[in-house]
Amino acid sequence: MFKINIKETQNPSIVKFEFPDFISYGTNFEFKNIDETENSPLAKQLFYLPFVKTVYISGNFVAIERFSIVEWNDVQEEVKQQIEEFINKGGKVLIEKENSSTKKIPVTVYGETTPNPSVLKFVANKMLTKTAVEFKNIDEAKPSPLAIELFKLPFVKEVFMDENYISISKFDSYNWDEISIEVRSFIKGFIENGGTVIDETLISQTKEHEQQQDQYFDNLDVTSQQIINILEEYVKPAVQSDGGNISFEGYDDATKRVTVTLKGACSGCPSSTFTLKNGIENMLRQMLHNNDIVVEALNG
């Protein structure tokens, strides 16, 4: 049986009714009256209640603004039951307008834990990006429409994308047990409905893209090239399997200092930083036959 949860908002006139799965991907709806509800049978049904002023549909919830003739404490359980009964009887929340040019793309997305408890890795069965990119906030996410939508979710702190997976860092006040299914469903639905994950033309303007080009590698000194090859072959696969990434930033021959940047699940995790730093340092010393090498691991 379909069940929803009631959540209060900062506006005492508005209550959210949260669904167990997403009902709208990347689009918000606002209905001011019953005449506007052509594409939402549920909103139309709700306007038959005399105290309903406005209906909002977004993400995984329906929010309702009431007129002052009632208090939510007196009617919210009744509204909850009506919504559940409507859905259980086959009622539709939204009616998608058919578009012959848009076809649903079957995709599988599953979640994986990482060494960083704040980060969960979501893996798709298709390539998402050719360039590893990390977004610390919504302003940095312009190359990725998917990342922009993810940042609109209140619990998303940072987004990292590489190849076929997305690592998401959450705020500490949220628990992955409560939100992981929502995030997985959102990513799956976004991709299936033809949403753009990454605009590669915008990614080409970033430092990350430049570092992954052959020209960048060819212009480096021999030791730096050797370090990159070692990182690519022996370190990066293990780091990527944990939902992170590592990039070479530079080598100072005078001090023998190698600087790398950790991203995704590895970024901001003290234990991961310490373990990786020591592991990479020992590996480079052995493979380059130089015990003076020191590794500095930065968080991306």
Side-chain angles (χ1 to χ4, degrees), residues 42-229:
L42 175 59
K44 183 176 182 179
Q45 184 72 21
L46 291 170
F47 273 110
Y48 287 119
L49 299 172
F51 52 82
V52 172
K53 181 179 180 180
T54 309
V55 177
Y56 307 91
I57 298 177
S58 178
N60 71 322
F61 67 84
V62 173
I64 301 175
E65 182 181 9
R66 62 170 173 80
F67 286 108
S68 57
I69 57 174
V70 297
E71 295 295 332
W72 272 119
N73 287 337
D74 297 328
V75 298
Q76 62 186 21
E77 285 296 331
E78 176 190 347
V79 175
K80 173 179 179 291
Q81 291 176 9
Q82 287 201 23
I83 295 175
E84 289 175 344
E85 289 177 4
F86 181 83
I87 300 299
N88 286 326
K89 290 180 179 178
K92 298 290 185 181
V93 178
L94 294 167
I95 298 176
E96 297 182 8
K97 294 182 178 180
E98 292 187 4
N99 187 339
S100 59
S101 64
T102 303
K103 295 183 179 180
K104 202 162 187 177
I105 307 167
V107 64
T108 300
V109 177
Y110 63 90
E112 287 185 356
T113 57
T114 75
N116 188 340
S118 295
V119 179
L120 208 60
K121 176 183 176 183
F122 296 90
V123 185
N125 63 337
K126 60 172 290 183
M127 180 67 72
L128 301 178
T129 176
K130 298 176 183 177
T131 305
V133 287
E134 186 169 41
F135 307 112
K136 295 291 187 181
N137 52 62
I138 195 169
D139 292 332
E140 296 180 357
K142 292 179 181 178
S144 173
L146 173 55
I148 289 174
E149 294 304 321
L150 286 170
F151 274 115
K152 293 178 182 179
L153 302 175
F155 41 77
V156 172
K157 183 179 181 182
E158 297 175 8
V159 177
F160 172 77
M161 298 181 178
D162 191 13
E163 297 185 352
N164 70 323
Y165 68 90
I166 302 170
S167 291
I168 296 179
S169 173
K170 67 172 181 61
F171 288 102
D172 293 339
S173 57
Y174 292 89
N175 191 317
W176 275 122
D177 290 339
E178 300 172 351
I179 61 177
S180 61
I181 295 177
E182 295 181 14
V183 177
R184 185 195 68 79
S185 298
F186 182 85
I187 294 172
K188 183 177 186 294
F190 186 93
I191 298 172
E192 283 184 335
N193 286 284
T196 300
V197 177
I198 286 283
D199 184 341
E200 296 288 347
T201 61
L202 297 179
I203 287 294
S204 64
Q205 303 171 17
T206 65
K207 178 184 177 183
E208 289 87 350
H209 184 271
E210 178 186 341
Q211 290 177 332
Q212 295 177 48
Q213 303 308 301
D214 292 338
Q215 185 177 358
Y216 173 81
F217 181 85
D218 293 340
N219 290 333
L220 294 173
D221 59 88
V222 174
T223 303
S224 294
Q225 291 179 346
Q226 290 175 325
I227 293 170
I228 289 178
N229 287 333

